[in-house]
Amino acid sequence: MEPATGLKLDFNHKLTLKEFPYIIRWREDRCKRCGQCTAVCPQGAIRPAVKYMRVIESSGETPKPRPVRRIIHVIEQVNDIEHYCTGCAICSLVCPNNAIEPEYNPQNKFLFYKNRGGEGYKRGGRRNDPGVSTLDRLKFTRISMLTDPALDAARHEFRLRSYIGRILPPEELPLKVEDGRLVVDKSSGKFIPPVREIFPIMIGSMSIGALSPTMWEGLAMGVAYLNEVEGIPVVMCSGEGGFPPRLLKSRYVKYFILQIASGYFGWDSIIHTLPYMQEDPAAIEIKYGQGAKPGDGGLLMAPKVIKLIAEIRGVPQYVDLPSPPTHQTKYSIEESVMKMIQSMSMAFGFRVPVYPKISGTRTAKAVLNNLARNPYAAALCIDGEDGGTGAAYNVSLDKMGHPIASNIRECYLDLVKQGKQNELPLIAAGGIGKKGNLAANAAALIMLGASAVAVGKYIMQATADCLGDEYNRCNICNTGKCPRGITTQDPKLYRRLDPDKVAERLVEVFKAADVELRKIFAPMGRSTELPIGMSDGLSIDDKAMAERLEISYAC
Amino acid sequence: MCRLAAITSSEYFSPIENILALETMKEGHDGSGLGLTLKNLGGEFKELKKYPILSGICSRKGKEILDDYMKQLGFKLIHEWMPKIKPVRGVIRRDYYFARVYDYPEDWKNKSDREKEDFLMNTRITLRKMGEADESIFVFSFYPDIVTLKEVGDPLELAEFFGLDKDNLEAKIIFAQGRQNTNYQIYLYACHPFFIQGYCTMTNGENTAFVPIREFLMSRGFPGYMGYNSDSEVFCHILHYSARQLGFPLTYYKDIITPLKWEEIEQRPDREALSLLKMSLRPLCIDGPNMVIGFTPDGTCFMVQDAKKLRPGVVGGVKGKYALMSELCGLDKVIPERDRLKDIYPMKYDMVIVSPGAKKVKVWNQLPA
């Protein structure tokens, strides 16, 4: 039956804006209709519209309100779920008159509708848990005072350095005494594994391809500056997807950890460049898992595979690049660990530490114990559930994974039992600096047993003014439309990001973290070595957590 | 902060000398305990040097347990020293204080020194564990030519209590500590000096790196690395670990607990070995304010500082008698006739080493001249 008026009365299958996570607040009186907001909206959630409306007007010498019908220009939010507002607020940033802003709608029913076509909702970026993490609940309570005077963070010498690489236990060092002096016994033929000294906070794996050229360049410049000018040996992991050959041949490659993941993207060109490399990379990271989406593979979507990326990765342009969840040629942990670590070590002449990265999981100890018996394994990186990602299913991000705090602690204590706590460094990742407390979170993890921490998400937030947060705000890294120009390959978008500014901020972030770490360690009387496993320095206001982490309870 | 008085001499002397030195440093200890370790014993122990001496404290019940256990192992008691206790107000008397000289069981007599050392240590640990729950047995050392005496109280009062001024107990090396109780409860086993298989140390200060060091030592699988009622006990075990277990020369003790910076290591001729040590022994690096005085099985005495030199320490004396003290006034009391200009105040890179028999003293510097 046709409606009598000619208008459609059936509005079923339409959503009201109340269902959406963000509702755009637009002020008609302030807006001068410049159109900047609609032009920059990465989601297309707002659009300029023309409406024929009845309005009340007052005019004349003795104004009298009267209704008139008029054509007006408005900014309206679309109520199409494919163009939902993510709350990135880039519209507010460009608006000259503060006429527009998104407002969070806690009653939203977004997840009920965001799985059209039988495809689960995917998003980029962060885990959607805005709660306070265990790391943020940990306090440093062992403060030196009188019997053990506090050190001076500004005056005393501090050594905030850590190692990646297998460290031989003292009993196995090939040493002999000659004339009252220890010398290395060359005749023993003992293999001394390579070890690198690094700043205990490293930049976690974010690939060229996932990051825009300007973002990656900014980070790389910052890392080089930190090492060569500031003398802070920060290293950065390349992520999967290869490395620019020009950089591989340069001396700067020593500040980078090359990652090999299950897609092996870019490794063809790395292997071919090997004979021409003048420096060794800092390390090789073999990725088996990622904290944000454990047991899941990676994906670089077709729109991001532009010419540069296609060249580095050795693939055609504009095709989806999925990495499988496992290394397809390996079917067991023994094989994966043994073969991959040994073959990668051999490729780099046993001069480069090679270590695996796994997701935080209850099975982490199985991997750890396997590595502990492998003399070529250089470390173990464990990525907790709060880690970030470029693209993942919502359900993986929110519901899968293991928090890093108890995982790293358990693994450390396991190594202590075996007497290998200094032999096999543990690198903790996932959610460090989630609330902005980079140094405090890093220090807490170090005192729980990590030799170093890897940070990715915080670095993006801090160096490129990323708009996203743990409330699912923005987090459209997976769409290739990053409004800041961080995770996009669209020149119109990434040109918004100044690589020099990124580099500058990166340097500031690490210098500040360096100062803050001293400010934490000095009052605890530690300065000459990193307080790895100094669990007596930590407390938490929850008895069960204290028991689980084997630290003290304080309230 | 505890006060320390160590004396090494070519002649026998009484521990009362150490106690009097501690008395001059009284503002630095609160009288919460005294520890004494005597090496190269004279007096009634002079002729018994090859036999192990068990030092400890027992209750009546503990004595029976101890006697039974030692008999069961086959140890023969050949001599016993017990202090002539004079009750003193403020010191709670326990049942038996003793230093007992035993002969080895028959089947252990011909074993190697190293095997004997392990056997003695394991016996001491077992006894300690047997008496730990009800505090019926405390054993501090079980080793040839070593006597250890510990008690809670003021050093001078304890000297009177034990009758040390009248006893003929004497030795050529005596370490004494006047305890300043800090963060832990007052407990006998927490009194310095600490002794293990010929190695002994005592410390003033607090070790902020205690937990990782304890974990590292305990995970070495050596049964003697246990106890740790004091955060300073690890210093003795680090010494034992580096010198006995790893076979490193004594000076590397300093390199382990206060490692040099990389650019400083470059100046050392043994830089290659030192680089490996810096990484492998990273958890044993000390960070707290500490001055450590120790001796090794051959009778060498030494003093080292933490890298920031936040604790005092002075070494001085004359040929044949040197004192290693935490305060100058203690040194003045013990060896007033020395040339004060030759007193040594070790700095952050220094290790003061007094040779066996107190013949000579040298300052070894971590950085090559």
Side-chain angles (χ1 to χ4, degrees), chain A residues 24 27 74 147 159 203 241 245 272 294 325 336 349 363 409 516:
Chain A
I24 303 288
R27 289 184 60 173
V74 296
T147 62
R159 194 175 166 274
I203 304 177
H272 284 119
S336 288
T363 60
R409 184 74 181 139
E516 285 193 342

Side-chain angles (χ1 to χ4, degrees), chain B residues 54 69-70 73 75 118-128 130 139 142:
Chain B
L54 183 70
Y69 183 70
M70 294 304 275
L73 288 178
F75 279 107
D118 285 344
F119 177 53
L120 294 175
M121 184 191 72
N122 289 332
T123 308
R124 173 176 63 82
I125 292 169
T126 313
L127 283 169
R128 174 176 173 159
M130 284 160 81
V139 283
F142 190 23

Side-chain angles (χ1 to χ4, degrees), chain A residues 75-128:
Chain A
I75 303 293
E76 73 173 11
Q77 184 174 0
V78 293
N79 56 352
D80 169 9
I81 201 76
E82 292 309 312
H83 297 99
Y84 74 102
C85 171
T86 63
C88 72
I90 197 92
C91 51
S92 311
L93 273 176
V94 296
C95 180
N97 295 326
N98 292 331
I100 191 164
E101 63 176 346
E103 188 179 298
Y104 182 61
N105 169 27
Q107 274 83 39
N108 77 78
K109 289 197 282 180
F110 179 68
L111 289 178
F112 290 80
Y113 305 113
K114 197 69 179 106
N115 52 8
R116 301 283 157 103
E119 179 74 358
Y121 164 48
K122 284 194 283 289
R123 69 168 200 264
R126 291 146 188 85
R127 185 166 172 267
N128 196 17

Side-chain angles (χ1 to χ4, degrees), chain B residues 285-313:
Chain B
C285 161
I286 66 163
D287 249 338
N290 293 108
M291 182 270 283
V292 185
I293 299 175
F295 69 68
T296 58
D298 68 352
T300 303
C301 296
F302 67 86
M303 176 186 282
V304 285
Q305 292 282 349
D306 67 284
K308 300 195 182 52
K309 200 181 169 2
L310 286 166
R311 284 288 181 259

Side-chain angles (χ1 to χ4, degrees), chain A residues 254-523:
Chain A
K254 64 186 172 196
Y255 307 134
F256 294 90
I257 296 169
L258 304 182
Q259 190 187 72
I260 181 163
S262 53
Y264 305 118
F265 293 118
W267 270 84
D268 229 26
S269 81
I270 292 176
I271 297 295
H272 284 119
T273 318
L274 261 175
Y276 310 103
M277 283 163 66
Q278 37 168 328
E279 290 274 356
D280 289 323
I284 306 294
E285 180 176 281
I286 306 169
K287 182 186 131 182
Y288 291 99
Q290 192 177 338
K293 43 177 178 182
D296 222 346
L299 170 69
L300 190 70
M301 311 110 27
K304 280 183 154 183
V305 188
I306 56 165
K307 190 169 176 239
L308 170 79
I309 307 303
E311 275 170 9
I312 292 174
R313 296 196 173 199
V315 292
Q317 285 184 56
Y318 303 114
V319 292
D320 273 335
L321 298 180
S323 302
T326 58
H327 289 257
Q328 300 291 298
T329 51
K330 312 286 184 293
Y331 60 86
S332 71
I333 172 184
E334 294 80 6
E335 200 186 23
S336 288
V337 169
M338 197 175 68
K339 279 193 184 165
M340 283 205 72
I341 291 178
Q342 258 138 279
S343 53
M344 293 312 296
S345 297
M346 195 159 68
F348 287 89
F350 296 95
R351 299 183 309 268
V352 177
V354 180
Y355 67 89
K357 170 186 163 179
I358 57 166
S359 314
T361 159
R362 286 183 62 181
T363 60
K365 273 201 329 192
V367 181
L368 180 78
N369 284 311
N370 201 292
L371 293 176
R373 288 193 295 275
N374 182 342
Y376 299 99
L380 174 65
C381 178
I382 305 178
D383 192 11
E385 64 171 356
D386 276 321
T389 175
Y393 280 93
N394 192 64
V395 72
S396 303
L397 278 167
D398 286 357
K399 302 296 176 195
M400 306 283 291
H402 195 302
I404 188 63
S406 61
N407 216 193
I408 207 83
R409 184 74 181 139
E410 209 168 44
C411 288
Y412 175 76
L413 291 174
D414 196 44
L415 286 178
V416 168
K417 270 189 208 136
Q418 301 178 52
K420 293 187 171 180
Q421 65 269 51
N422 187 49
E423 220 173 299
L424 192 71
L426 293 171
I427 302 164
I432 296 140
K434 182 175 149 180
K435 292 268 178 190
N437 302 312
L438 175 68
N441 289 175
L445 277 166
I446 288 165
M447 291 163 88
L448 288 174
S451 284
V453 296
V455 197
K457 201 166 67 183
Y458 175 89
I459 294 297
M460 283 204 294
Q461 281 178 301
T463 62
D465 303 325
C466 168
L467 298 160
D469 67 13
E470 306 291 333
Y471 285 88
N472 201 15
R473 184 170 160 242
C474 192
N475 287 354
I476 48 168
C477 329
N478 58 323
T479 61
K481 292 180 199 159
C482 172
R484 276 296 197 210
I486 303 169
T487 59
T488 176
Q489 299 300 334
D490 182 345
K492 275 186 278 185
L493 294 173
Y494 71 64
R495 273 203 300 260
R496 292 176 182 174
L497 197 67
D498 179 353
D500 288 337
K501 278 262 179 273
V502 172
E504 198 180 315
R505 275 295 291 144
L506 187 82
V507 172
E508 286 169 352
V509 162
F510 274 95
K511 283 173 73 179
D514 189 51
V515 171
E516 285 193 342
L517 283 177
R518 285 162 204 252
K519 280 284 175 194
I520 294 168
F521 296 150

